[in-house]
Protein backbone atom coordinates (compact mmCIF):
# COMPACT_ATOMS: atom_id res chain seq x y z
CA UNK A 1 0.00 0.00 0.00
CA UNK A 2 1.42 3.41 -1.03
CA UNK A 3 2.99 5.80 1.38
CA UNK A 4 1.24 9.16 1.11
CA UNK A 5 2.59 10.72 -2.06
CA UNK A 6 0.84 14.03 -1.48
CA UNK A 7 -1.65 15.86 -3.69
CA UNK A 8 0.58 15.68 -6.77
CA UNK A 9 1.70 12.13 -6.16
CA UNK A 10 5.35 13.15 -6.01
CA UNK A 11 6.22 12.27 -2.43
CA UNK A 12 8.40 14.48 -0.28
CA UNK A 13 5.56 15.72 1.88
CA UNK A 14 4.66 19.22 2.94
CA UNK A 15 8.18 20.67 2.72
CA UNK A 16 8.49 19.70 -0.94
CA UNK A 17 5.02 21.07 -1.70
CA UNK A 18 5.87 24.32 0.05
CA UNK A 19 8.90 24.90 -2.18
CA UNK A 20 7.01 23.87 -5.34
CA UNK A 21 4.14 26.31 -4.78
CA UNK A 22 5.22 29.99 -4.88
CA UNK A 23 2.06 31.24 -3.11
CA UNK A 24 2.44 28.75 -0.26
CA UNK A 25 6.15 29.52 0.01
CA UNK A 26 5.40 33.26 0.27
CA UNK A 27 2.80 32.74 3.00
CA UNK A 28 5.11 30.49 5.03
CA UNK A 29 8.05 32.90 4.74
CA UNK A 30 5.90 35.89 5.74
CA UNK A 31 4.53 33.98 8.74
CA UNK A 32 8.06 33.00 9.78
CA UNK A 33 9.19 36.62 9.53
CA UNK A 34 6.21 37.79 11.58
CA UNK A 35 6.83 35.11 14.21
CA UNK A 36 10.48 36.14 14.50
CA UNK A 37 9.74 39.89 14.73
CA UNK A 38 6.90 39.47 17.25
CA UNK A 39 8.96 37.12 19.42
CA UNK A 40 12.03 39.35 19.35
CA UNK A 41 9.95 42.41 20.19
CA UNK A 42 8.04 40.67 22.98
CA UNK A 43 11.09 39.15 24.64
CA UNK A 44 13.14 42.31 24.14
CA UNK A 45 10.54 44.42 25.90
CA UNK A 46 10.09 41.76 28.58
CA UNK A 47 13.81 41.59 29.29
CA UNK A 48 13.94 45.37 29.55
CA UNK A 49 11.54 45.12 32.51
CA UNK A 50 13.24 42.08 34.07
CA UNK A 51 15.37 44.22 36.40
CA UNK A 52 12.23 45.15 38.38
CA UNK A 53 10.55 41.92 39.51
CA UNK A 54 7.27 43.55 40.54
CA UNK A 55 6.85 45.16 37.12
CA UNK A 56 7.76 41.88 35.43
CA UNK A 57 5.16 40.01 37.50
CA UNK A 58 2.46 42.60 36.68
CA UNK A 59 3.34 42.34 33.01
CA UNK A 60 3.08 38.56 33.12
CA UNK A 61 -0.22 38.68 35.02
CA UNK A 62 -1.74 41.12 32.52
CA UNK A 63 -1.13 38.68 29.67
CA UNK A 64 -4.01 36.45 30.78
CA UNK A 65 -6.85 39.00 30.42
CA UNK A 66 -5.15 40.38 27.31
CA UNK A 67 -5.28 36.95 25.65
CA UNK A 68 -8.94 36.55 26.60
CA UNK A 69 -9.84 40.00 25.23
CA UNK A 70 -7.88 39.36 22.05
CA UNK A 71 -9.73 36.09 21.46
CA UNK A 72 -13.06 37.86 21.97
CA UNK A 73 -12.00 40.61 19.56
CA UNK A 74 -11.07 37.96 16.98
CA UNK A 75 -14.59 36.56 17.21
CA UNK A 76 -16.35 39.93 17.08
CA UNK A 77 -14.16 42.02 14.77
CA UNK A 78 -12.32 39.38 12.79
CA UNK A 79 -8.68 38.41 12.77
CA UNK A 80 -7.38 40.90 10.21
CA UNK A 81 -8.86 44.08 11.70
CA UNK A 82 -8.00 43.02 15.25
CA UNK A 83 -4.38 42.25 14.35
CA UNK A 84 -4.07 45.51 12.40
CA UNK A 85 -5.37 47.56 15.31
CA UNK A 86 -3.20 45.76 17.86
CA UNK A 87 -0.08 46.10 15.71
CA UNK A 88 -0.72 49.84 15.25
CA UNK A 89 -1.10 50.26 19.02
CA UNK A 90 2.08 48.23 19.60
CA UNK A 91 4.00 50.31 17.06
CA UNK A 92 2.81 53.54 18.66
CA UNK A 93 3.78 52.26 22.11
CA UNK A 94 7.26 51.23 20.92
CA UNK A 95 7.75 54.59 19.21
CA UNK A 96 6.61 56.41 22.35
CA UNK A 97 8.99 54.34 24.47
CA UNK A 98 11.88 55.16 22.14
CA UNK A 99 11.06 58.88 22.13
CA UNK A 100 10.14 59.36 25.79
CA UNK A 101 12.44 56.71 27.23
CA UNK A 102 11.80 54.57 30.24
CA UNK A 103 14.41 55.89 32.63
CA UNK A 104 16.11 52.50 32.62
CA UNK A 105 19.72 51.62 31.95
Amino acid sequence: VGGGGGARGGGGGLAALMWEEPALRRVVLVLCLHWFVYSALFFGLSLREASDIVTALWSAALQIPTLLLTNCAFEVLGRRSTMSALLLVAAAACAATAVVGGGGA
Side-chain angles (χ1 to χ4, degrees):
V1 179
R8 297 185 179 204
L14 183 61
L17 179 62
M18 182 180 75
W19 295 114
E20 289 175 8
E21 295 291 333
L24 182 60
R25 180 175 53 237
R26 181 177 176 265
V27 168
V28 168
L29 291 175
V30 167
L31 286 175
C32 287
L33 176 66
H34 282 220
W35 175 81
F36 176 77
V37 170
Y38 296 156
S39 297
L41 179 64
F42 177 78
F43 288 114
L45 292 174
S46 296
L47 287 175
R48 185 170 186 266
E49 299 298 328
S51 61
D52 181 11
I53 190 69
V54 174
T55 305
L57 288 174
W58 273 110
S59 177
L62 287 174
Q63 289 181 28
I64 295 169
T66 302
L67 287 172
L68 295 174
L69 288 172
T70 301
N71 283 334
C72 291
F74 281 167
E75 293 294 325
V76 173
L77 303 173
R79 181 190 55 83
R80 183 172 291 190
S81 58
T82 301
M83 287 300 295
S84 297
L86 290 174
L87 288 173
L88 285 173
V89 169
C94 287
T97 301
V99 171
V100 174

